[in-house]
Amino acid sequence: MRIGLLVVGVGCVVTGLLPAAEAADNIRRIGPLLLFLAAVIILAELTKEANVFDVLASRVAIAGRGNYAALFLLCTAFASFITIFLNLDTTAVLLTPVMLALAPRARIAPLPLAMTTIWLANTASLLLPVSNLTNLLAMGRVGLSTREFAGRMWAPQAAAIAVTMVLLWIFYWRRGERGADRYDPPPQAPMGDPVLFTVAAGACVLFIAAILAGVQIGVAAAVAAVVVIAAFAWRDRSKLTWSLFPWQLLVFVTGLFLVVPTLSRYGLDDLMRAIVGGDGDGLGDYRAAAAGAGLSNIVNNLPAYYAGERVIPPANHDQLLSLLVGTNVGPVITPWASLATLLWFEWCRRREVKVPLVKFVLTGVCLAVAGIAATIGALLLTA
């Protein structure tokens, strides 16, 4: 499907449906984003191979001391931290299997842990540009630095996480849902190669410090990834395979930025303009968020954001950020709403974790509605 999307996109350019100049502009725009995406995923993959996530997850469970309320708070903090600083796909692809592997060792029901990772992979992805690819697009559009972006989005991010935690507890973590009063703290996960563990953990810290210091995110991710690659080349070359390179994801993103502009030229812009509207007031902000969430759950959040961005006036910064909220917090209803959710479902299938689809959709609707309402409210109050 990803290759097919790219083929269709290239076909749009070859046939003239999408002018070559516009296609080239789109590719130039996403070039730095693709560099960041490739580097951060390689960094995260090798960090997992160095057992950093396993050690941290086991320490989280040990720190909870068998108390589910404490474990809940620690797991939500852990998943939020990974999403904010290492991208939502890292939480979905790498943290999910770690948490699902932790469940049988501590005799914890796997579904609460799984839902924590996927809900927070989406709703905790608002604070920093690196948290979500849509954030990188929005930051460039509104002309904010990393610190300025975080300063504008900290209150909406706090609201989104707070609502997510409340609904996670009600729907998945309370006694009647999890099925036990206490859990068994697991043994400490082995560190493995101490050199790889230290280098990988240090590279992640270096990456976080660099982006907070204002270093260009693609450069920061690439440097951190190179450091970890060098360590594995020295200590364990068997882990350095071509499968580390996320070419399928890069093909998918490139194809989207050719197909969506083509559709926009032939009616999608008019449709989105009618749905989103051009008003920069509070009502316009909520309309933009609702449109972003709705379209995300129909097609996917990345094309939903891009289609909405094209019709929002450049001066309407809050409306654009509201669209961003809709495409980040809203994709929790359908399995295809975000790439992170698709990848999460695949991991649940591999680990034989049964996800009741009706409950997933209905609770996702509650989170999308309540989360967007609270998050947009926080965005407007701090404008």
Side-chain angles (χ1 to χ4, degrees):
M1 289 177 63
R2 293 164 182 162
I3 295 174
L5 186 67
L6 180 61
V7 170
V8 170
V10 172
C12 291
V13 178
V14 171
T15 59
L17 292 174
L18 181 67
E22 183 176 349
D25 287 342
N26 288 334
I27 298 302
R28 278 193 293 269
R29 182 186 182 193
I30 66 171
L33 310 187
L34 297 179
L35 170 63
F36 158 74
L37 198 58
V40 79
I41 288 178
I42 292 172
L43 171 64
E45 286 277 4
L46 291 178
T47 299
K48 178 180 178 294
E49 292 294 339
N51 289 340
V52 174
F53 292 155
D54 292 88
V55 170
L56 291 177
S58 64
R59 288 181 180 175
V60 163
I62 292 169
R65 298 183 178 182
N67 185 294
Y68 267 103
L71 179 66
F72 170 72
L73 294 174
L74 290 168
C75 284
T76 53
F78 186 31
S80 298
F81 181 87
I82 297 298
T83 299
I84 288 169
F85 291 104
L86 288 178
N87 189 270
L88 79 164
D89 294 326
T90 298
T91 303
V93 178
L94 302 178
L95 186 58
T96 295
V98 169
M99 299 299 274
L100 293 180
L102 173 67
R105 295 205 304 268
R107 297 181 183 178
I108 301 170
L111 188 59
L113 294 174
M115 291 305 301
T116 299
T117 60
I118 191 53
W119 273 12
L120 287 167
N122 288 289
T123 63
S125 66
L126 285 169
L127 184 61
L128 294 177
V130 300
S131 308
N132 199 324
L133 191 59
T134 53
N135 296 3
L136 294 171
L137 297 171
M139 184 181 73
R141 183 69 180 269
V142 298
L144 297 176
S145 66
T146 297
R147 289 185 180 181
E148 290 169 340
F149 186 90
R152 186 68 187 91
M153 298 303 290
W154 72 267
Q157 180 63 95
I161 292 176
V163 171
T164 304
M165 290 177 66
V166 170
L167 295 183
L168 273 172
W169 183 266
I170 293 172
F171 292 134
Y172 295 100
W173 277 84
R174 60 187 172 86
R175 174 65 176 82
E177 296 295 326
R178 66 176 185 257
D181 288 320
R182 295 183 63 81
Y183 68 92
D184 299 326
Q188 176 63 58
M191 181 182 296
D193 188 319
V195 174
L196 293 177
F197 181 92
T198 302
V199 171
C204 290
V205 172
L206 173 67
F207 170 65
I208 293 169
I211 60 174
L212 293 178
V215 177
Q216 205 277 331
I217 56 174
V219 173
V223 170
V226 167
V227 169
V228 181
I229 289 171
F232 271 87
W234 173 35
R235 305 286 292 190
D236 188 359
R237 289 191 180 183
S238 65
K239 296 295 192 296
L240 297 179
T241 64
W242 284 110
S243 62
L244 283 173
F245 187 74
W247 66 269
Q248 293 182 344
L249 183 56
L250 303 186
V251 164
F252 174 72
V253 173
T254 304
L256 279 178
F257 276 79
L258 295 176
V259 172
V260 174
T262 305
L263 296 176
S264 296
R265 293 174 62 86
Y266 296 95
L268 183 58
D269 273 356
D270 294 334
L271 176 62
M272 290 302 297
R273 194 172 288 110
I275 297 173
V276 174
D279 297 330
D281 55 8
L283 179 59
D285 294 341
Y286 276 104
R287 284 182 62 179
L295 190 58
S296 293
N297 284 288
I298 295 173
V299 289
N300 183 267
N301 68 329
L302 187 57
Y305 171 81
Y306 187 55
E309 180 195 75
R310 289 175 60 92
V311 302
I312 293 177
N316 293 3
H317 287 182
D318 283 348
Q319 192 178 25
L320 183 71
L321 293 177
S322 297
L323 172 70
L324 181 68
V325 167
T327 57
N328 285 24
V329 177
V332 290
I333 301 173
T334 58
W336 53 82
S338 71
L339 180 61
T341 309
L342 279 172
L343 297 171
W344 175 84
F345 263 100
E346 174 63 17
W347 269 114
C348 289
R349 185 191 65 79
R350 290 185 188 181
R351 294 284 183 172
E352 298 183 345
V353 175
K354 294 183 179 179
V355 180
L357 193 57
V358 172
K359 182 176 182 179
F360 179 87
V361 171
L362 294 179
T363 57
V365 169
C366 294
L367 176 58
V369 172
I372 288 174
T375 306
I376 296 299
L379 180 71
L380 297 179
L381 288 173
T382 55

